[in-house]
Amino acid sequence: MSESVDRAVNAMKEQIDAPIASYFSSCVHCGICADACLFYTETGDPQYTPIHKLDLMKRVWEREYTFAGRIKKWLGLSRNITENDLTKWETLVYDSCTLCGRCSLYCPVGNDIVTMVRKMREAMAASGHAPEGLQQASKRAIEIGSPMGVTLKTLEAQIKHAEKEAGMEVPLDKQGVDYLMLLSSAEIAQFNEIIPAVTRIFHEAGVSWTLSSEAFEGTNSGIQIGSSDIAAELIQRIVDGAQKLKVKYVISPECGHAYTALRWEGPNLIGKPYPFEVVHIIELLDQLRTQGKLKLEGKDETRQTFHDPCQMVRRGGVMEQPRNLMNMVATDFVEMTEHSLMGWCCGGGGGVSANERAEPLRRKVFSKKREQLEEIGVERIVTACSNCRNMLEEGLEDNNMDEIEVVGLSEWLAEYLVTSSPRAAGDDS
């Protein structure tokens, strides 16, 4: 066994805990999970069956932790893991899985397959078998503060643009306000219209908030590559920023894995509870709606739908809020056939979009989303994840469907905001 294989096997052994062992024990080999995965449905290739992507870890579990497996190992009858195995399974767990969690809902015995893939990624990353793109993104996140290399200087430039557009100050590093707003790299670099949009909405709703110069990035590449250490360091950076500003709430941006990392996994990653509450931007906007603080006017007759970001909707439970908000304005809102809990992924989540090697496969499996959109014939897709938005725009262009507009929910709502008298930038009165 080579040193690399030895590291990988030991890393997998460390990840096989009681839940993982019980999942392997209870798997009935039905293969039903295949029909839940767009990488299988759109290619027909059995290697993309979700449970098969875990076969390498299963072999380690059988060899090391089952009676029959130990006997076979002692008799020299079990298959050894090779470098070729690691190369093949690296592509399966990183290139053909978006961690969307649809397979976990399909599993008839309730196995949480996406958690198993996360464990497998932890082992692969620890042994050095992770895609170059994700390795570089994680390195930039630690060293620069953003997986895309977005710096504070970039954010400050976008704040100036936003203040000019919104006609009011975008607060930065204000202590004692209620909310700290996080952004994703894509929201700063590509979809920066979110900044003036939330500035205007929060002003009209009377929300006291700020951005932080030390904790502005919500994206967590540690979750995507499978490194709890990196994920914890990025979460701690946010916690430190929030504590310094003494906020009561931290707002997760329109970014799926930022929400997963911060809302559901953060306290366990850093080993202590937060001194603040976490709320997704769409949850907050819906709260403002129910409190009568989000006032919109006008109706939009465009035929449109909502694309459900997997981490926010299926794995986060924020299902009704975006629909409540859309129905405030949209008169021709139509659902895709499979939506909400059973919605189909954009194909680029879970770090797949940051993995250049996966691009041809990712573009191929967009056929599922294309079919869904062709079926309902919409002119606009609204979503609430900057990565989904990026993937949708790219997929529509590839399929000559770029007449369909893709927008973020927060900025779309801001177009219908009832506004009071505009303020000059920097006016706090």
Side-chain angles (χ1 to χ4, degrees), residues 139-371:
K139 184 179 179 185
R140 286 191 294 271
I142 294 296
E143 296 179 354
I144 302 175
S146 155
M148 291 175 63
V150 172
T151 64
L152 175 59
K153 190 175 179 180
T154 306
L155 174 64
E156 290 173 334
Q158 298 296 7
I159 286 175
K160 286 183 181 177
H161 289 305
E163 288 180 332
K164 187 176 180 181
E165 184 174 335
M168 60 189 73
E169 179 190 14
V170 176
L172 179 66
D173 291 333
K174 284 202 168 183
Q175 285 198 356
V177 296
D178 289 337
Y179 293 88
L180 167 62
M181 174 81 190
L182 303 179
L183 297 165
S184 70
S185 286
E187 286 179 322
I188 300 170
Q190 294 171 267
F191 307 122
N192 43 64
E193 56 270 25
I194 185 78
I195 305 175
V198 297
T199 300
R200 292 175 57 229
I201 291 173
F202 289 165
H203 169 66
E204 296 299 336
V207 173
S208 66
W209 71 292
T210 188
L211 294 170
S212 166
S213 60
E214 296 178 9
F216 56 84
E217 173 64 74
T219 312
N220 196 307
S221 53
I223 296 291
Q224 295 169 340
I225 196 172
S227 170
S228 296
D229 292 340
I230 293 175
E233 184 169 342
L234 299 178
I235 290 293
Q236 188 62 54
R237 195 176 292 171
I238 294 171
V239 172
D240 292 343
Q243 286 186 296
K244 187 173 182 179
L245 295 173
K246 300 180 175 60
V247 297
K248 300 174 184 173
Y249 306 92
V250 173
I251 306 171
S252 175
E254 290 195 9
C255 172
H257 278 85
Y259 179 62
T260 292
L262 187 64
R263 179 68 172 271
W264 306 119
E265 303 192 22
N268 284 334
L269 285 166
I270 63 174
K272 57 186 176 184
Y274 294 147
F276 51 80
E277 293 183 26
V278 176
V279 60
H280 192 277
I281 179 65
I282 301 305
E283 288 181 295
L284 176 56
L285 294 179
D286 195 49
Q287 289 172 16
L288 297 176
R289 177 191 67 81
T290 59
Q291 294 165 358
K293 295 180 179 176
L294 179 63
K295 294 183 172 60
L296 307 181
E297 62 181 355
K299 294 294 179 183
D300 190 327
E301 298 178 354
T302 305
R303 187 169 175 81
Q304 52 197 309
T305 191
F306 182 73
H307 165 77
D308 295 285
C310 301
Q311 302 301 320
M312 167 189 155
V313 177
R314 180 165 32 249
R315 293 180 62 78
V318 187
M319 282 185 279
E320 296 304 320
Q321 293 90 335
R323 290 165 171 83
N324 293 339
L325 293 165
M326 286 196 68
N327 284 326
M328 292 179 75
V329 179
T331 61
D332 194 8
F333 171 70
V334 58
E335 295 279 17
M336 287 180 257
T337 304
E338 291 163 301
H339 58 86
S340 301
L341 195 64
M342 299 309 294
W344 286 99
C345 177
C346 66
V352 173
S353 62
N355 179 3
E356 283 187 31
R357 185 182 63 200
E359 186 173 334
L361 181 60
R362 171 174 62 77
R363 288 175 182 264
K364 180 177 178 59
V365 302
F366 189 80
S367 52
K368 176 59 72 180
K369 191 56 63 180
R370 185 196 68 216
E371 289 171 11

Side-chain angles (χ1 to χ4, degrees), residues 355-404:
N355 179 3
E356 283 187 31
R357 185 182 63 200
E359 186 173 334
L361 181 60
R362 171 174 62 77
R363 288 175 182 264
K364 180 177 178 59
V365 302
F366 189 80
S367 52
K368 176 59 72 180
K369 191 56 63 180
R370 185 196 68 216
E371 289 171 11
Q372 286 193 292
L373 295 172
E374 287 175 341
E375 187 179 15
I376 56 175
V378 293
E379 300 169 67
R380 177 186 295 138
I381 308 170
V382 181
T383 190
C385 170
S386 51
N387 190 54
C388 290
R389 187 175 171 183
N390 219 345
M391 296 301 98
L392 289 167
E393 287 184 347
E394 199 173 281
L396 291 172
E397 186 176 343
D398 283 349
N399 289 274
N400 300 313
M401 298 170 71
D402 47 2
E403 73 279 4
I404 301 177

Side-chain angles (χ1 to χ4, degrees), residues 30-42 45-46 48-51 102-103 106 113 344:
C30 63
I32 288 176
C33 56
D35 291 330
C37 179
L38 80 170
F39 289 94
Y40 172 77
T41 61
E42 303 312 294
D45 190 335
Y48 297 133
T49 302
I51 197 66
R102 204 167 186 274
C103 54
Y106 263 60
I113 299 172
W344 286 99

